[in-house]
Amino acid sequence: MNYRHTFHAGNFADVAKHTALVAVLLHLRKRESAFAVIDSHAGRGVYDLRSQEALRTGEAANGVGRLAGLQDCPPALAAYLELARAPEAYPGSPLIAAKLLRPQDRLVAVEKHPEDAAALAAVLKPFRKARAESGDGYARLAALLPPPERRAAILIDPPYESAHEFSDAARALTGALRRFATGIYLIWFPIKSPAEADGFCGEVLASGARKALRLDVMRSAPRDDRLTAAGLVIVNPPFKFEEEMRAALTLALPPMGAQARFLWLAGDD
Ligand SMILES: C[S@@+](CC[C@H](N)C(=O)[O-])C[C@H]1O[C@@H](n2cnc3c(N)ncnc32)[C@H](O)[C@@H]1O
């Protein structure tokens, strides 16, 4: 457990992932009925983009740091940028979700690293409907699904430190879909080897997902030694999600020197 998101928070891949999460949550908020958010690999919840770690990699400066001048943004991007305005308090996925909950909604955020789990608990403390758990997100997914609300967004965002993380994530998704087929799932993955990423998407397809969109963002050709490309699979994306994300990323990616590729793995809009 060496991975620390502090080095990477606010990079181009976080911008795409967090904007997609906001787009899904804004969609769920359109109906009055309650929804749940489950964040299986939550991180510490908030990041100081002026910290030594962030400055050392420069990833935030080359990511969200380049978006300050954007104007006339579509709703999900505008809401994300509003949440991410303060560089000393860049919100991780659980804080983004907590801030977009209505009184009837709830969040469960799971983090395994003890130090990050403690930080996360402190960050989520002011949010009555948000719960931080210290533990294994994969194991908790099995216990938390299906949610009684029957409407949910589930973010699976592991660190991919170990060689078996791709198959762990695909297996977790298969189990989760068996319990709760109608949830909106967002599964993040790094693209260091295109073949490995394609293989993972093949496993996602075999998970039983009936509708799945793959969204890749890349700054340059994939490399093994650092993150230049990343993907997000969205299972059961909301209607018009692709259109909304295309509009958001058309504005957000060029300043970060990145581009997007959309590919339907199963079904389509
Ligand atoms: C990519 S970071 C999460 C970033 C966060 N989702 C965000 O967008 O702000 C991955 C996190 O997963 C944690 N982690 C690793 N293995 C885990 C497991 N089995 N269960 C829960 N958390 C885990 C790591 O400590 C790390 O904080």
Side-chain angles (χ1 to χ4, degrees):
M1 296 257 301
N2 291 320
Y3 180 90
R4 312 313 299 275
H5 198 61
T6 312
F7 290 97
H8 312 292
N11 68 9
F12 74 104
D14 253 18
V15 170
K17 172 182 69 185
H18 290 156
T19 303
L21 176 64
V22 170
V24 166
L25 297 180
L26 293 185
H27 164 80
L28 286 168
R29 285 167 55 112
K30 283 183 189 158
R31 269 179 40 201
E32 202 41 44
S33 54
F35 63 80
V37 184
I38 298 168
D39 192 342
S40 65
H41 295 70
R44 54 190 296 124
V46 74
Y47 303 90
D48 184 349
L49 302 184
R50 304 161 317 171
S51 68
Q52 273 187 5
E53 292 88 338
L55 294 177
R56 199 162 92 206
T57 63
E59 290 191 29
N62 289 316
V64 68
R66 293 196 185 170
L67 304 185
L70 287 188
Q71 288 183 345
D72 299 325
C73 299
L77 180 60
Y80 161 71
L81 289 173
E82 179 62 28
L83 291 169
R85 222 169 23 167
E88 69 280 12
Y90 180 82
S93 52
L95 184 56
I96 289 173
K99 289 195 168 180
L100 291 176
L101 296 178
R102 304 162 303 174
Q104 64 269 44
D105 309 322
R106 72 189 169 96
L107 161 71
V108 182
V110 189
E111 169 56 46
K112 193 171 182 183
H113 194 290
E115 205 179 288
D116 288 350
L120 177 65
V123 167
L124 293 185
K125 200 158 180 230
F127 299 90
R128 213 170 48 81
K129 302 301 292 286
R131 188 171 87 227
E133 290 189 358
S134 176
D136 176 14
Y138 292 129
R140 291 301 295 149
L141 266 185
L144 293 164
L145 296 176
E149 296 88 348
R150 292 276 162 188
R151 300 177 70 222
I154 300 105
L155 174 63
I156 302 176
D157 185 18
Y160 296 88
E161 272 182 310
S162 71
H164 50 78
E165 190 96 60
F166 277 103
S167 35
D168 289 350
R171 198 171 325 112
L173 177 67
T174 307
L177 279 170
R178 222 171 271 146
R179 285 188 188 79
F180 182 46
T182 56
I184 302 174
Y185 294 85
L186 299 112
I187 307 107
W188 186 91
F189 58 96
I191 306 179
K192 294 196 166 171
S193 144
E196 189 177 44
D198 290 350
F200 174 63
C201 290
E203 285 190 68
V204 168
L205 198 52
S207 68
R210 290 222 285 268
K211 206 172 161 191
L213 175 66
R214 172 177 175 178
L215 160 57
D216 290 356
V217 287
M218 59 221 111
R219 295 190 78 194
S220 60
R223 299 170 53 135
D224 200 33
D225 58 341
R226 63 184 148 98
L227 190 80
T228 55
L232 195 62
V233 173
I234 306 96
V235 175
N236 300 324
F239 183 55
K240 299 234 187 244
F241 175 85
E242 179 187 0
E243 203 178 294
E244 285 175 30
M245 286 304 293
R246 276 188 190 275
L249 296 182
T250 296
L251 278 178
L253 294 185
M256 301 187 290
Q259 50 187 310
R261 187 179 75 134
F262 292 80
L263 183 70
W264 284 94
L265 300 173
D268 64 25
D269 256 356

